[in-house]
């Protein structure tokens, strides 16, 4: 039986899209599994005028919309733990009402003073909320009670704004009480990177620049900006995807083995890796990063003609780049990354390309054999989860030729169905106080420092946009970036 966790949750932005679509259904899963039982309460707060009944009806709908039966005793008992209080986060005096409700529910449900504050709303309010939570006395002060603050992305829009935000949060919460969400870290196959590396001699003993030629990380989206245009146009792919998700994945791939499998040790190694990531000078940033914006095709409008996008927008919807680590393990082995909207397909994968054998003994003078291919280990993150290892083997005939074959492991459909959603894992981690799958401030700050330099260089020059066709894999410059190094993307269209 799982350990029961006790807490009163306070969700700011409690009537928002994220809360209804992801957070409440995830809490319900934790309840069904026994991680939450009777000693918890959830307060939703936002500016909307609702009462408990209307809020509970909305929770019921959110559970139903995510495929749950809501006529069961279990669902109704769960929903009875939900309360609503309207509140404007900028009104300091009104926090007293939230405090009173939290204290009351804490007693009613015997939550032992544990408090989780989840900020699921626009980031400009994060600093104010954290400050008011402290000054207005909402933080638990019992010796054994915990206070945890969960922050949605984005965490700043550059290093300076992120630092300001972090300084504001630090006045009320210690670093180990702050849980910065990067939902990619809640994905099964991202967490599997550590198992794959540190659980297999075969993998980890080759995991360095002597045997690995290059590593490729691709986060490809099929859709355009949809209804997120007004946010996205102020952000762009570099800030929206590279600074957080891609940098997190890359740091897991690049880090050294942690002393122990704890959040402190894992974070220490990720930070060390990010510190050795080369921050480019102007010339290198211009050479090693390319950007793109999608054009139009058939009925598909170009980015500049999407709703809520200015017609002269220079926001990038695609990024590709080369990352270099200046350390003993990775010196000389580039990490290529790319992400974009309106690409050929929706998927996330990591391709680890090994060096070819130093000597190809099958390529003797009269041989008809094609040269040996590189071994490639692919980690499929989504939509399908699994691994694939490409090896060379003998063809099944009387002569002697080789051909590439693949060893595939795909998580089966039932297992995939049973895999917890990232938000369920992450909420469970918050309840446990485990920061492994959240971004620490040092990680966030090194990632911004790297990304800011690319942005600075891009801002010096007007881009030639649009420059890629919808449903392709981005602009020609992304191909040139890797071909210049006599390499190619492992995932290409039609392979
Ligand atoms: P949303 O716009 O749907 O909801 C915002 C919530 O904040 C609403 O409940 C609104 O009433 C409340 N609010 C706004 N101003 C307020 C004020 N002054 N006082 C009190 N309440 C106020 O937003 P969302 O899509 O749920 O996103 C929330 C956060 O999560 C954002 O930081 C977003 O970047 C992040 N996020 C969302 C998603 C997603 O899938 N929706 C994914 C990743 C990250």
């Amino acid at each position: 039986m799982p350990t029961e966790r006790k807490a009163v949750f306070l969700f700011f932005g409690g009537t928002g899209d994220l809360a209804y679509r992801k957070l409440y259904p995830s809490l319900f899963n934790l309840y069904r599994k026994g991680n939450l039982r009777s000693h918890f309460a959830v307060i939703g707060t936002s500016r909307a005028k609702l009462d408990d009944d209307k809020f509970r009806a909305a929770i019921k709908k959110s559970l139903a919309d995510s495929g749950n039966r809501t006529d069961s005793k279990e669902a109704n008992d769960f929903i009875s733990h939900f309360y609503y209080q309207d509140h404007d986060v900028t009104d300091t005096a009104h926090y007293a009402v939230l405090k009173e409700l939290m204290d009351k529910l804490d007693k009613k449900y015997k939550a032992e003073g544990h408090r989780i504050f989840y900020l699921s709303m626009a980031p400009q309010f994060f600093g104010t909320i954290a400050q008011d939570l402290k000054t207005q006395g909402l933080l638990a002060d019992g010796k054994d009670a915990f206070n945890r603050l969960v922050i949605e992305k984005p965490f700043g829009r550059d290093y300076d704004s992120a630092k300001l935000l972090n300084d504001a949060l630090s006045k009320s919460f210690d670093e180990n009480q702050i849980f910065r969400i990067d939902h990619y870290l809640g994905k099964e196959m991202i967490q599997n990177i550590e198992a794959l590396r540190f659980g297999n001699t075969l993998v980890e003993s080759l995991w360095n620049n002597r045997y690995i030629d290059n590593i490729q990380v691709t986060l490809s989206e099929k859709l355009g900006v949809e209804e997120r245009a007004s946010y996205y146009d102020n952000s762009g792919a570099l800030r929206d995807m590279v600074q957080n998700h891609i940098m997190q994945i890359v740091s897991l791939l690049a880090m050294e083995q942690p002393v122990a499998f704890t959040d402190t040790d894992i974070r220490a190694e990720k930070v060390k890796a990010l510190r050795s990531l080369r921050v480019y000078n102007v010339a290198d940033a211009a050479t090693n990063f390319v950007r793109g914006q999608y054009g139009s095709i058939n009925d598909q409008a170009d980015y500049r003609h999407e709703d809520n996008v200015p017609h002269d927008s220079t926001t990038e919807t695609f990024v590709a780049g080369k990352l270099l680590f200046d350390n003993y393990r990775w010196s000389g082995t580039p990490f290529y990354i790319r992400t974009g909207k309106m690409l050929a397909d929706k998927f996330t994968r990591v391709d680890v390309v090994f060096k070819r054998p130093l000597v190809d003994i099958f390529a003797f003078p009269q041989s008809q054999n094609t040269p040996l291919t590189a071994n490639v280990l692919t980690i499929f993150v989504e939509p399908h989860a699994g691994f694939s290892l490409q090896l060379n083997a003998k063809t099944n005939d009387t002569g002697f030729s080789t051909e590439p074959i693949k060893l595939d492991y795909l998580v089966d459909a039932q297992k995939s169905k049973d895999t917890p959603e990232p938000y369920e894992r992450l909420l469970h981690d918050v309840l446990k106080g485990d920061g492994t799958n959240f971004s620490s401030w040092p990680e966030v700050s090194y990632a911004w420092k790297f990304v800011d330099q690319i942005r600075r260089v891009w801002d010096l020059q007007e881009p030639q946009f649009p420059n890629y066709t919808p449903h392709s894999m981005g602009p020609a410059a992304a191909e040139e970036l890797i071909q210049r190094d006599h390499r190619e993307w492992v995932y290409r269209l039609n392979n």
Side-chain angles (χ1 to χ4, degrees), residues 13-18 21 46-47 87-89 120-121 123 125-126 152-154 423:
T15 58
D17 170 70
L18 183 72
R21 233 168 14 88
S46 79
R47 278 187 304 194
H87 168 71
D88 183 342
V89 294
S120 176
M121 55 187 305
F125 298 120
F126 292 169
E152 269 299 334
K153 78 166 204 184
Y423 275 100

Side-chain angles (χ1 to χ4, degrees), residues 381-401:
V381 178
E382 58 190 2
H384 304 296
F387 305 112
S388 163
L389 179 60
Q390 179 175 288
L391 301 171
N392 291 302
K394 183 185 169 301
T395 50
N396 194 7
D397 55 28
T398 48
F400 198 102
S401 344

